[in-house]
Amino acid sequence: MERYDIGGMSCAACSARVEKAVNGVDGVTSCSVSLLTNSMTVEGSAPPETIITAVEKAGYTAKAQNAGTKQQNQIKIEKPNEVRPLVQRFVISLVLLLILMYFSMGHVMWGFPLPAFFQYNPVAIALTEMLLCIAIMVINKRFFISGFKGLIHRAPNMDTLVALGSAASFIWSVYLTFKTTDPMTQGDGPMMILHELYYESAAMILVLITLGKILEARSKGKTTDALQSLMDLSPETAVVERDGKEAEIPIEDVQIGDIFILRPGMSVPVDGVVIEGESAIDESMLTGESIPVDKAVDSKVSSATINQSGFLKCRATRVGEDTTLSQIIRTVYEASATKAPIARVADKVSGVFVPIVMGIALVTFIIWLLVEPLSGNEFASALERGISVLVISCPCALGLATPVSIMVGNGVGAKAGILFKNAEALETAGKTQIIALDKTGTVTKGEPEVTDIIPANSVSEKELLQIACSIERLSSHPLADAITAYAESQSLSPLPCENFQNIAGHGLTGDVSGEQVYAGSVKFICEKTAIDQAMQDQIDRLSNEGKTPMLFCKGGKLLGVIAAADTVKEDSKEAIAEMKELGLRVVMITGDNEKTAKAIGDSVGVDRVYAGVLPSGKSEIINELKQYGKVAMAGDGINDAPALTTADTGIAIGSGTDIAIDSADIVLVGSRLSDLTAAIRLSRQTLRNIHENLFWAFIYNIIGIPLAAGLWIPIFGITLNPMFGAAAMSLSSFCVVSNALRLNLFDPHKPHQKYKKAAVALPPAAENNDKGEMKMIATVVKVEGMMCPMCEKHVEEAIQTAGISDLLRVKASHEKGTVELVTESPVNYELVAAAVTKAGYQPKGTV
């Protein structure tokens, strides 16, 4: 994708002309022009020189962005430097206009005093008005250059309407000025002609349109404030350690592998990993989460976040455009440069708007020229109405209605940790009716945590946990990590463990305090000691709740049970409740077994649970749900990528895999499920804002053009002076942009009852939700080393991502020590064995 700065555009007709010209270039697959940022994005194989030439032939200028530059953020936000020259033009023009108005209206109409030289000297007054008008036209010559240049290139724009209206008023007035010198005009004739001069209208049109341009430019500048504030987060320098000494260098010079120093209050210059120290990092500017995040050795830090308390030494892992902040900025910028489907109607209208208005103005002039003599009026009245039609018409309001709302909406989302990759995603998210959620990492945390500690009789909870930690800390199993982490949080120190042994597929054993300790599954511990019925009931209860019970015994005596599970995120239940309040149906799709999935689903309150589903099956479920409404899919894993692509809107959790993030339309940076609800609210509010803008833009022209043409005279007896038409035109774009800026006041995390919609129906519940199960060839592979459901999940995910194209189903069982694969053709055992081995388990052939 190539980006270009476009110069010379003044309205939506201009952007439509540029798009048409570039889309006609061979090799261009797509082109999008943003009037808001005066930029263009082009995809395809066409060389930049050809594209620039096409733009110049259309009557505009183009320049490739960031050619050969090296900087931290290579996105350019053109703050309207045009505002200052516009203000200068406006002030000088206004002073001259006031003098002109004093002559044309103050003296001629209301008898204000003038120097003796002008008394009863209509020729001098007319010439003075003409000179003042010429001065104002020269100061605002840009309207005439741009307008007539567009006319020559057969691409008339808003400036063309302004230039024609002002020029017509001026030329007619010049004709009348010369008429005052006609010897045949006697008596009060020359003085009466002064009342028919339109110099003040010609000048007033230019001054008011310039004022409108100032208001529009200031408002447009504010729409990029959110994006600019993101860019301002990045520090300009970094403190790095080189040759054993600290040195402050420009951030552009930081390289991957550099060691940088963070003291309290310092901003993180680039992405990195902590190699020394502990601290709390404020990540609110990226994730929207106000609570600081604790960091220690091996923790990741992101650019632009702020170190709050301790000293940290970090190694740079991503710099320049690869940092988290730069990627967020680029995503927001590129999304703002795209067009939402809702904008297509406005774009089509804008493309033909100016020629149609010119035609209406000409027809209006001719009709009133034929009608006026019948009523005794003169040529000037017909001309006035034709000019009014030209100057009141505003294609800019149509062109800005959608992009300004998209830009502001994207900025608000970025501040809240919600990234919309394109304008279409921002629009379609609000139309979502069904939310499909992956379980692991989306609804749940994706990592096992200790949930229950049940000691046996005469054993304390502390004793059980300490012995469990002593043996589990020597294992690399995820469940062992969960127990070790929990023990550390309870400030328990492990006891020495000798003769440690990992018994593949069963559990662990080792000597603690001189006695042999066993740890593992129910089946394994049953072989070492007796389990009473009360404890067995507790184990069954934990299993039914989707938790993994781990048993421990010492010296032939049962110590108790510690259960772990992939726990639900703190905000998941509340977020799903909020989704339902918005009228959304919520389903959960997971590859886990039905018992575990149902326990999680019931705890968070989803409407439907689909369990035991393969990646291909997830896509099938999404396609089925799409028959009942617009579907959004939220996930974080590699196995979610097909479903994210299939859904109407794909939503990736920020902590997920790169493949999931690349496949999604929306990225939740903070990895909170509540951000998904916020994204839906923000999308609906942005759509509402766009509808308001489009309504104003269309209704303004629908009412204003007939009013200017005089169609309301027979009905209401009202007409429109060109000066008031110019004032209305100058305010129309300002009103649209100002309305879009109201989005900055919107808090997407705050519930808003007005966004609730009626819920749609779901597909009939099937007895077997196991999608994608087409049993053609079943292959059973023996696998050693699996001890629990978490092991099963690791093996299944390893095989799912091994590149077996015709894999329909995979099901692992740690109790049987097997993995069943269902494929359409004979399975490649070597491929499966390699995946299982890479996951840390031992394949032992097929059954």
Side-chain angles (χ1 to χ4, degrees):
M1 180 184 293
E2 299 291 334
R3 301 175 184 80
Y4 299 83
D5 292 322
I6 305 298
M9 295 192 300
S10 61
C11 67
C14 299
S15 60
R17 172 68 177 173
V18 174
E19 276 191 9
K20 183 177 180 180
V22 176
N23 278 323
V25 176
D26 291 337
V28 173
T29 56
S30 68
C31 169
S32 178
V33 178
S34 173
L35 178 64
L36 185 64
T37 57
N38 290 321
S39 63
M40 173 178 69
T41 57
V42 180
E43 292 185 357
S45 58
E49 296 77 13
T50 306
I51 293 173
I52 292 174
T53 300
V55 174
E56 290 175 345
K57 285 184 179 180
Y60 306 90
T61 62
K63 179 182 177 183
Q65 286 187 2
N66 306 314
T69 61
K70 177 187 177 184
Q71 49 188 337
Q72 172 73 1
N73 295 312
Q74 293 189 359
I75 297 295
K76 288 204 306 182
I77 302 297
E78 292 291 346
K79 281 294 182 182
N81 294 326
E82 56 189 298
V83 172
R84 179 172 294 180
L86 278 174
V87 171
Q88 292 174 347
R89 277 170 44 191
F90 173 73
V91 171
I92 297 173
S93 300
L94 181 61
V95 172
L96 295 175
L97 177 64
L98 291 175
I99 300 173
L100 172 58
M101 295 291 288
Y102 186 88
F103 275 90
S104 65
M105 301 185 72
H107 174 72
V108 175
M109 297 180 64
W110 300 320
F112 289 180
L114 285 175
F117 172 75
F118 291 101
Q119 295 293 334
Y120 306 106
N121 191 346
V123 176
I125 293 175
L127 290 174
T128 301
E129 290 183 21
M130 182 177 70
L131 292 174
L132 289 168
C133 184
I134 290 174
I136 294 173
M137 294 172 75
V138 170
I139 293 170
N140 295 279
K141 60 183 180 295
R142 182 184 177 280
F143 291 114
F144 297 95
I145 295 173
S146 173
F148 288 116
K149 189 177 181 180
L151 202 57
I152 293 171
H153 285 88
R154 292 182 298 176
N157 51 41
M158 188 199 78
D159 289 344
T160 305
L161 300 179
V162 175
L164 287 176
S166 180
S169 299
F170 178 76
I171 292 171
W172 172 247
S173 300
V174 169
Y175 163 74
L176 292 180
T177 298
F178 281 98
K179 190 175 181 181
T180 60
T181 64
D182 186 356
M184 300 299 294
T185 307
Q186 303 294 329
D188 292 335
M191 292 300 297
M192 295 302 297
I193 288 176
L194 290 180
H195 290 274
E196 300 175 11
L197 296 179
Y198 280 87
Y199 287 124
E200 75 280 357
S201 293
M204 180 73 80
I205 289 170
L206 299 176
V207 174
L208 288 176
I209 298 300
T210 301
L211 174 62
K213 288 284 186 182
I214 292 172
L215 297 175
E216 180 184 329
R218 287 187 182 277
S219 299
K220 283 166 64 178
K222 291 179 180 178
T223 64
T224 59
D225 280 352
L227 188 53
Q228 185 65 52
S229 65
L230 285 176
M231 296 181 66
D232 292 341
L233 289 174
S234 179
E236 297 181 357
T237 61
V239 178
V240 300
E241 187 179 87
R242 290 182 176 175
D243 300 325
K245 297 180 179 180
E246 293 184 11
E248 187 172 353
I249 63 173
I251 195 170
E252 294 86 357
D253 295 338
V254 178
Q255 303 295 323
I256 293 177
D258 279 349
I259 305 300
F260 60 89
I261 307 298
L262 292 176
R263 292 186 173 84
M266 294 177 64
S267 294
V268 180
V270 296
D271 289 5
V273 60
V274 178
I275 61 174
E276 181 182 324
E278 294 183 356
S279 183
I281 298 287
D282 179 6
E283 298 182 344
S284 60
M285 61 290 299
L286 297 185
T287 66
E289 178 57 61
S290 59
I291 301 175
V293 181
D294 292 333
K295 301 291 181 180
V297 175
D298 293 334
S299 296
K300 294 180 179 180
V301 294
S302 300
S303 58
T305 56
I306 299 175
N307 181 28
Q308 287 201 325
S309 52
F311 173 88
L312 293 177
K313 187 179 289 188
C314 310
R315 178 183 293 109
T317 56
R318 293 193 295 183
V319 301
E321 287 191 310
D322 295 328
T323 64
T324 303
L325 176 64
S326 295
Q327 291 175 356
I328 290 174
I329 291 171
R330 184 164 298 281
T331 299
V332 175
Y333 180 83
E334 290 177 351
S336 300
T338 60
K339 291 189 176 181
I342 196 173
R344 291 170 187 163
V345 175
D347 285 347
K348 289 180 180 179
V349 173
S350 299
V352 297
F353 184 85
V354 174
I356 290 176
V357 168
M358 292 171 62
I360 294 174
L362 180 61
V363 171
T364 298
F365 171 73
I366 293 173
I367 291 177
W368 282 103
L369 195 62
L370 297 175
V371 173
E372 287 291 5
L374 300 177
S375 60
N377 293 326
E378 300 183 1
F379 176 89
S381 181
L383 181 64
E384 177 182 299
R385 294 192 176 96
I387 294 171
S388 296
V389 171
L390 289 173
V391 298
I392 198 173
S393 306
C394 186
C396 280
L398 285 172
L400 291 171
T402 300
V404 290
S405 296
I406 294 295
M407 173 67 85
V408 178
N410 271 306
V412 173
K415 287 182 176 180
I418 304 165
L419 298 183
F420 296 91
K421 288 189 176 180
N422 51 59
E424 185 174 357
L426 184 55
E427 177 180 338
T428 57
K431 299 177 181 178
T432 298
Q433 297 166 299
I434 302 172
I435 296 282
L437 303 173
D438 174 54
K439 181 185 78 71
T440 306
T442 303
V443 177
T444 64
K445 296 178 180 179
E447 297 178 353
E449 291 184 355
V450 172
T451 58
D452 300 85
I453 300 177
I454 306 174
N457 294 331
S458 72
V459 178
S460 68
E461 185 175 304
K462 179 179 179 181
E463 180 184 358
L464 170 61
L465 184 58
Q466 188 173 38
I467 293 176
C469 169
S470 301
I471 191 169
E472 294 285 1
R473 68 186 178 88
L474 300 177
S475 171
S476 59
H477 195 281
L479 295 179
D481 293 338
I483 293 175
T484 303
Y486 184 78
E488 290 177 353
S489 69
Q490 301 298 312
S491 302
L492 287 179
S493 300
L495 300 172
C497 180
E498 299 175 348
N499 302 320
F500 173 80
Q501 185 180 358
N502 186 342
I503 305 173
H506 296 284
L508 310 171
T509 183
D511 296 335
V512 179
S513 301
E515 293 188 82
Q516 189 170 20
V517 174
Y518 290 96
S521 63
V522 177
K523 180 179 179 182
F524 178 58
I525 298 300
C526 278
E527 298 173 357
K528 310 301 178 183
T529 186
I531 302 176
D532 60 40
Q533 188 59 45
M535 184 63 74
Q536 185 62 53
D537 291 342
Q538 293 279 24
I539 294 170
D540 294 340
R541 176 184 63 81
L542 294 172
S543 298
N544 291 333
E545 292 175 356
K547 300 172 182 177
T548 302
M550 294 169 287
L551 280 66
F552 299 86
C553 71
K554 179 182 178 183
K557 176 185 176 183
L558 181 66
L559 296 176
V561 179
I562 297 179
D566 182 10
T567 56
V568 174
K569 291 180 179 179
E570 290 81 359
D571 68 335
S572 290
K573 185 174 183 179
E574 182 180 355
I576 291 172
E578 290 181 0
M579 292 177 197
K580 291 185 175 182
E581 289 178 2
L582 290 174
L584 301 171
R585 301 303 297 267
V586 186
V587 303
M588 189 176 77
I589 307 175
T590 178
D592 285 355
N593 62 74
E594 187 171 352
K595 182 186 294 184
T596 301
K598 191 174 187 306
I600 296 293
D602 291 343
S603 68
V604 296
V606 298
D607 295 311
R608 180 77 56 79
V609 174
Y610 293 89
V613 183
L614 286 179
S616 59
K618 289 185 179 182
S619 297
E620 292 177 21
I621 292 174
I622 296 299
N623 281 324
E624 182 182 6
L625 292 173
K626 286 171 71 174
Q627 299 176 23
Y628 292 82
K630 295 289 184 181
V631 179
M633 170 71 189
D636 71 329
I638 294 175
N639 58 344
D640 295 321
L644 293 174
T645 305
T646 304
D648 296 298
T649 306
I651 303 171
I653 303 299
S655 60
T657 63
D658 290 340
I659 293 178
I661 292 174
D662 289 342
S663 303
D665 303 300
I666 302 172
V667 179
L668 307 180
V669 179
S671 302
R672 298 185 304 272
L673 199 56
S674 57
D675 286 344
L676 194 158
T677 314
I680 302 295
R681 289 196 195 100
L682 178 58
S683 174
R684 291 183 179 179
Q685 174 65 10
T686 303
L687 272 175
R688 182 189 184 96
N689 192 271
I690 290 173
H691 288 149
E692 292 169 352
N693 286 345
L694 288 173
F695 173 80
W696 163 252
F698 278 108
I699 204 69
Y700 162 81
N701 286 291
I702 290 172
I703 295 176
I705 292 176
L707 175 63
L711 293 184
W712 302 133
I713 292 179
I715 304 173
F716 303 107
I718 57 174
T719 185
L720 188 72
N721 186 283
M723 290 185 290
F724 294 109
M729 180 185 188
S730 66
L731 289 174
S732 60
S733 297
F734 171 70
C735 291
V736 166
V737 178
S738 298
N739 183 56
L741 289 175
R742 292 192 306 112
L743 279 173
N744 282 315
L745 304 176
F746 181 76
D747 181 3
H749 286 99
K750 183 179 179 180
H752 296 266
Q753 195 64 28
K754 63 182 177 181
Y755 298 112
K756 183 172 183 178
K757 295 184 178 181
V760 298
L762 288 175
E767 292 184 4
N768 180 14
N769 287 327
D770 196 358
K771 297 289 179 178
E773 184 173 1
M774 298 173 57
K775 292 189 177 179
M776 299 179 69
I777 299 178
T779 304
V780 179
V781 178
K782 294 181 180 179
V783 177
E784 291 186 357
M786 294 189 296
M787 297 170 53
C788 65
M790 193 64 66
C791 297
E792 295 173 354
K793 183 176 179 62
H794 286 168
V795 172
E796 290 172 357
E797 288 182 348
I799 295 175
Q800 288 170 3
T801 57
I804 304 173
S805 58
D806 58 353
L807 179 66
L808 301 176
R809 178 182 177 182
V810 57
K811 183 65 178 176
S813 171
H814 74 281
E815 295 175 346
K816 297 178 181 179
T818 60
V819 179
E820 181 184 18
L821 295 87
V822 178
T823 54
E824 296 179 0
S825 58
V827 71
N828 184 335
Y829 174 76
E830 288 74 16
L831 196 61
V832 175
V836 172
T837 302
K838 187 176 180 181
Y841 303 90
Q842 298 82 45
K844 296 297 180 180
T846 59
V847 176

